[in-house]
Amino acid sequence: MEITVSRVQGNLILTINGRMDGFGSQKVTESLQTSLCDSDIDIIFDLKQMDYISSAGLRVFQEIYRKIKERNGRVIICQVQDFPLGIMKMGGFLQALELHTTLESAISSSRNNLSLEKDNKSELKFTFEEIGQDTASLQVLGNLTNIEEGKITDADIQKLLYTPDKFEIGIGAVGKNKESVKNILGNIVILNGDMLWTPADGNATADFFTGDIMKGGEIERFGIFQVTHLGPFQYILTFQTENTGDHSINALVEEISRFAKINCPKFSGVWVMSVKATIEGICSSDIKSSLITAAKKKQDQQPEKEGEKHSLYRIPMRESIIEAASEDNLDNRYQGETLIGFGYGVDLKRAKENFSQEILETIAIMPSPMHQYDLFLNINGAVLRDVPWNPSRDLNLQISQELKNGSLVMMHHLLGITKIRNVSVAISFISSISVK
């Protein structure tokens, strides 16, 4: 048994050569598990070289048909030899599977082709829909710049109140009291009331708490930073492209800023976004050790004298505490899985015209000679498996359902170089920011 996995015009094609008996069926199942993406609507099996199929093989087709049917897709088979075709016909499988005589015919019939933007060479192309006109605001607890510069202590940890059905992003932890959480404060995101948290304990595992548990007051939550979105989302932007190599979250943020400047005359330079996308490769920077400890080390250091060289084992005075406590991973992981996340962006040039420097420093890190940028991004996202791509106007309700129905793999703080495709993003342009 030999299995060749390929993609033509976005279509997943499994070419099977040999006997699909018990052993062969297991190999096909393994190939499907590693190659089927949540964005695949239809799937094609080229059976020109498959000369035998057993009941085990039929069960594989039965299972993949069930999975594909859940996303309103089709299982397409082509070039089937007489013996396996007869077995499939006797089992009633030809009523469920779509049969084609050639591979070319199977590919042309696939609806995966309809979702591709053929002319997209360098830019993300999107459609948008206005879903609300009311104003929206941000409520901020803590100060991101102070955290970045190490100006935090145990006293900055606060008990956080839960706001039902809201979207939030921050740095915090779940525990009995401030003392129990101070060394595990990690990345948190709340998506329409459901919370995901990755403790900064170095174990790279995420916890998930549904809104029902949060509303019931069954957990205590503490944090040093939290941004809460208050108000409606105003637009849904949908991006679907074939050319995936250059499409990053940074590119998405640039498109959102460009869209806002054209379509929203009162654009303040700050927006929030709720995102669902197919992953091409996640790059992350996750808090893995204690921010409080890193800040204390920096506070205990004496300022360096001019010309003095610092030890590699010290945290330099200029170093970001968040970077010191975080671990970067640039391995482009989770290709084909689904990303669901929330965060905010700041167009710094526009935002400085509408907000004070003091306000902006609570939510954004200002550019420095070492780090020059015009757009600041802060976004956390959950990686989910078994969540089909299905663009929907009611994106936020869809996010809540899929968090509960999908299989959670991990939650990460995303770097802008994360690669994505098939993106739906709900956007809310912020008119005011209040700080607790």
Side-chain angles (χ1 to χ4, degrees):
M1 158 70 76
E2 293 182 2
I3 304 169
T4 302
V5 179
S6 60
R7 284 192 180 271
V8 178
Q9 298 177 16
N11 296 286
L12 175 62
I13 302 172
L14 269 70
T15 302
I16 300 176
N17 186 340
R19 295 168 56 85
M20 198 167 170
D21 51 16
F23 174 77
S25 297
Q26 182 178 350
K27 301 296 289 183
V28 173
T29 297
E30 291 172 356
S31 294
L32 285 169
Q33 289 173 342
T34 57
S35 58
L36 183 66
C37 295
D38 289 339
S39 58
D40 289 318
I41 302 171
D42 298 339
I43 182 171
I44 299 172
F45 289 86
D46 183 355
L47 306 181
K48 184 177 181 179
Q49 302 298 325
M50 188 187 79
D51 53 15
Y52 175 84
I53 188 169
S54 68
S55 58
L58 293 177
R59 284 195 295 272
V60 172
F61 281 104
Q62 184 179 40
E63 178 60 25
I64 190 62
Y65 170 74
R66 181 196 62 78
K67 178 173 287 190
I68 293 296
K69 190 173 186 295
E70 289 176 352
R71 58 185 75 176
N72 296 317
R74 298 170 299 166
V75 178
I76 302 170
I77 58 175
C78 65
Q79 306 190 105
V80 189
Q81 293 190 32
D82 289 342
F83 177 77
L85 182 63
I87 297 295
M88 289 180 168
K89 186 179 295 184
M90 284 189 295
F93 279 76
L94 298 187
Q95 297 176 19
L97 310 181
E98 184 171 310
L99 177 64
H100 286 260
T101 56
T102 67
L103 178 59
E104 292 75 14
S105 173
I107 292 172
S108 64
S109 73
S110 172
R111 289 171 297 169
N112 290 330
N113 298 314
L114 301 179
S115 67
L116 303 178
E117 297 280 355
K118 299 296 184 182
D119 298 327
N120 187 12
K121 300 300 181 184
S122 60
E123 294 183 354
L124 287 169
K125 295 184 178 180
F126 62 88
T127 60
F128 72 90
E129 181 177 9
E130 186 173 350
I131 58 172
Q133 296 181 337
D134 292 341
T135 60
S137 63
L138 291 184
Q139 187 176 81
V140 183
L141 180 146
N143 186 302
L144 192 60
T145 299
N146 285 346
I147 299 172
E148 174 87 354
E149 295 177 353
K151 299 174 182 178
I152 53 171
T153 66
D154 297 8
D156 293 298
I157 302 173
Q158 300 186 48
K159 184 174 180 178
L160 304 179
L161 299 178
Y162 174 71
T163 306
D165 307 322
K166 290 293 186 284
F167 287 78
E168 300 177 353
I169 183 172
I171 300 172
V174 172
K176 295 185 295 185
N177 50 45
K178 292 183 181 182
E179 183 64 26
S180 69
V181 303
K182 70 177 184 179
N183 291 321
I184 56 171
L185 297 167
N187 301 117
I188 281 181
V189 65
I190 294 182
L191 301 163
N192 209 18
D194 299 324
M195 187 181 84
L196 295 114
W197 167 50
T198 303
D201 55 8
N203 292 323
T205 56
D207 290 332
F208 175 55
F209 299 91
T210 65
D212 292 339
I213 294 175
M214 303 289 290
K215 290 175 186 176
E218 298 174 25
I219 64 170
E220 296 285 354
R221 187 163 61 102
F222 302 86
I224 54 173
F225 179 66
Q226 177 176 285
V227 175
T228 304
H229 173 227
L230 303 175
F233 287 91
Q234 297 145 356
Y235 293 92
I236 295 283
L237 274 64
T238 302
F239 303 78
Q240 282 186 267
T241 58
E242 177 182 16
N243 237 0
T244 60
D246 296 328
H247 301 329
S248 64
I249 288 182
N250 278 337
L252 173 65
V253 168
E254 290 171 359
E255 288 296 332
I256 291 173
S257 180
R258 191 176 299 120
F259 169 84
K261 291 173 181 177
I262 295 171
N263 295 280
C264 307
K266 295 182 179 180
F267 175 48
S268 70
V270 181
W271 71 91
V272 300
M273 53 189 181
S274 170
V275 180
K276 178 182 176 184
T278 302
I279 299 167
E280 280 294 302
I282 277 186
C283 297
S284 61
S285 182
D286 300 319
I287 300 172
K288 293 295 182 68
S289 60
S290 172
L291 289 168
I292 300 294
T293 299
K296 188 174 187 309
K297 287 181 180 178
K298 183 170 183 178
Q299 293 161 10
D300 289 344
Q301 290 176 1
Q302 296 297 319
E304 295 175 4
K305 298 178 181 178
E306 187 176 351
E308 180 182 358
K309 293 183 179 180
H310 63 265
S311 166
L312 291 176
Y313 296 96
R314 289 175 55 202
I315 299 176
M317 295 300 292
R318 66 180 178 273
E319 186 176 20
S320 158
I321 291 303
I322 296 177
E323 289 180 1
S326 298
E327 180 179 300
D328 292 350
N329 191 319
L330 310 181
D331 289 342
N332 287 309
R333 297 150 293 160
Y334 311 117
Q335 185 174 18
E337 310 291 8
T338 295
L339 171 69
I340 289 179
F342 173 75
Y344 59 87
V346 182
D347 183 321
L348 291 167
K349 288 184 178 180
R350 179 67 70 95
K352 287 177 181 178
E353 299 173 2
N354 296 280
F355 301 102
S356 68
Q357 179 87 356
E358 183 181 8
I359 288 290
L360 289 179
E361 285 181 354
T362 64
I363 62 169
I365 308 301
M366 296 297 110
S368 68
M370 295 291 292
H371 299 283
Q372 294 288 345
Y373 47 83
D374 294 325
L375 296 174
F376 176 82
L377 173 68
N378 186 10
I379 182 169
N380 293 339
V383 179
L384 300 175
R385 188 172 293 132
D386 298 326
V387 178
W389 168 253
N390 180 21
S392 169
R393 183 176 185 273
D394 194 355
L395 175 62
N396 297 322
L397 177 59
Q398 187 181 161
I399 282 175
S400 293
Q401 293 172 340
E402 291 170 351
L403 277 174
K404 296 177 178 68
N405 297 333
S407 176
L408 176 63
V409 179
M410 189 53 187
M411 193 272 285
H412 291 288
H413 178 70
L414 305 177
L415 293 175
I417 57 176
T418 290
K419 298 292 192 301
I420 53 176
R421 59 186 169 93
N422 292 343
V423 186
S424 284
V425 52
I427 301 171
S428 180
F429 296 111
I430 300 304
S431 58
S432 63
I433 302 173
S434 61
V435 180
K436 288 185 177 181

